[in-house]
Amino acid sequence: MSDIEALRKQIDGIDAQIVRLLDERAAVAKRIGDWKRDRGQPAFDGGRQRELLDNLASHSSGAFPIEGLRNVFTEIMSACRNMEEATKICYLGPEATFTHQAAVDEFGASGDFIACQSIPDIFDWVEKGRAHYGVAPIENSTGGVVYATLDRFMQSPLIITAERSAPIELHLMANCAMSDIRVVYSHPQPFSQCRDWLQLHLPKARLEEVSSTVRGAELAAQEPGAAAIAGEMAAKKLKLHILQRGIQDVSDNFTRFWIISRDSAHATGDDKTSILFFIKHRPGALYDILRHMAECGINLTKIESRPSRRARWEYAFFVDLLGHQEDENVKTALARLDDACEQIRILGSYPRDRNS
């Protein structure tokens, strides 16, 4: 037997062991799924998944790439979770958008993914029980806040159960040469994130905003002299050539997504909490709220105001803070805010994505 044949035989034996262990894991996972279902608990637990992936990474010697290890076990958990009933996840479509990619990265490819036409549609699907989870963009590190997601929370009873921050690589794609491009299609967000590059390299091209990056890629695939700005998933789906990779003006370009559901997430020790509140109309009201937070040692990572839609010139405030709503200092701060605010709602406590 040659050296390569011996090594291949060794690989075959290892693979057979892996398959036996996967079968054993699936049997235990099924028992856990039955236990959860009998008690009305959700099949997916973002906090538990994050803890498990971190724990697995800590056990690795590094011979197998850590990111690959996380991807492999995300898919293993996805397959086990969906053995009996597929988890339904709706996202901002169409297929191959960045939100679709974020949903697959979070839940694994074994879920039942449903493309929605708008962010309100995502909320509607989950609120009506037609989907277990929704994935919606909340902000981009370059382009800013996605207000449609914030605004929908003013009427929705849904809860943020996880967050995911994903790097956004924007590519120029077409089936023609760059010199022949006369129009570029994309969503408004990518245009805002690639403004300088477009001005420098395609100053004469017409920029046409469309409903999604994938819609832009569809148009680029159909029209002579048309290009699109989108992700690699869209280029593969529409069979477009990537003419220039990574054209975003800021290389460290991330989008944060919220995973929404009707179920809350348990504390992991490394969490975020998002709240919505309306302040009382008196001098220093907002200052008092921020003072309460500071006195309780709360680190605010974001504060945003939006028109309340209840009365003219009245605003709702959205705040992200570090900690879980069950942490003592967060509990104390929220109790003080309850007295200081006209109305307050906890949108959810969830595992913090370290890239956010």
Side-chain angles (χ1 to χ4, degrees), residues 224-262:
I229 299 172
E232 190 156 358
M233 203 177 192
K236 289 178 179 177
K237 180 176 186 278
L238 277 304
K239 295 181 172 57
L240 288 166
H241 299 293
I242 295 180
L243 305 181
Q244 189 70 43
R245 291 181 174 273
I247 67 170
Q248 63 274 4
D249 297 330
V250 179
S251 58
D252 190 29
N253 187 30
F254 278 73
T255 292
R256 186 161 70 109
F257 301 88
W258 276 343
I259 289 81
I260 57 175
S261 75
R262 290 168 291 174

Side-chain angles (χ1 to χ4, degrees), residues 98-99 102 136-141 146 164-168 189 193 253-257:
F98 287 111
T99 312
I138 180 59
E139 65 177 331
N140 176 266
S141 58
V146 181
R164 187 169 194 95
S165 292
I168 302 298
Q189 281 275 345
Q193 296 163 29
N253 187 30
F254 278 73
T255 292
R256 186 161 70 109
F257 301 88

Side-chain angles (χ1 to χ4, degrees), residues 19-228:
V19 171
R20 284 194 295 272
L21 289 170
L22 286 174
D23 285 341
E24 187 177 330
R25 188 190 194 284
V28 176
K30 183 181 183 305
R31 290 170 60 191
I32 292 173
D34 292 342
W35 187 93
K36 287 183 173 182
R37 187 170 55 255
D38 291 344
R39 290 158 179 79
Q41 294 189 10
F44 176 77
D45 184 335
R48 167 62 179 159
Q49 177 165 297
R50 201 70 54 85
E51 288 174 346
L52 190 149
L53 292 174
D54 288 346
N55 185 50
L56 288 166
S58 71
H59 288 308
S60 172
S61 67
F64 191 91
I66 296 297
E67 191 59 31
L69 186 70
R70 289 178 176 274
N71 292 338
V72 166
F73 271 89
T74 296
E75 293 303 331
I76 289 171
M77 287 185 281
S78 176
C80 290
R81 191 167 54 242
N82 289 280
M83 283 188 297
E84 294 187 29
E85 180 187 3
T87 303
K88 292 182 172 61
I89 305 113
C90 56
Y91 63 91
L92 183 61
E95 184 183 343
T97 58
F98 287 111
T99 312
H100 182 200
Q101 184 64 63
V104 173
D105 290 345
E106 181 71 17
F107 290 94
S110 296
D112 181 4
F113 294 95
I114 303 154
C116 291
Q117 293 185 355
S118 68
I119 287 172
D121 285 346
I122 297 171
F123 280 79
D124 288 343
W125 271 74
V126 181
E127 286 171 7
K128 293 174 181 176
R130 290 184 289 176
H132 300 100
Y133 298 93
V135 181
I138 180 59
E139 65 177 331
N140 176 266
S141 58
T142 304
V145 173
V146 181
Y147 289 117
T149 302
L150 284 186
D151 290 347
R152 193 61 179 78
F153 263 110
M154 281 192 270
Q155 296 92 32
S156 176
L158 295 180
I159 297 167
I160 305 163
T161 193
E163 69 170 353
R164 187 169 194 95
S165 292
I168 302 298
E169 285 281 329
L170 294 167
H171 312 307
L172 182 75
M173 56 193 68
N175 283 331
C176 63
M178 266 189 66
S179 57
D180 295 328
I181 294 173
R182 56 179 178 75
V183 59
V184 181
Y185 294 104
S186 196
H187 186 269
Q189 281 275 345
F191 277 138
S192 72
Q193 296 163 29
C194 303
R195 187 178 293 112
D196 293 345
W197 190 95
L198 290 167
Q199 185 61 40
L200 181 63
H201 297 279
L202 292 171
K204 295 182 180 179
R206 190 173 80 254
L207 308 183
E208 290 285 345
E209 294 183 356
V210 291
S211 59
S212 70
T213 53
V214 177
R215 179 55 184 157
E218 288 172 347
L219 292 170
Q222 296 165 7
E223 293 182 24

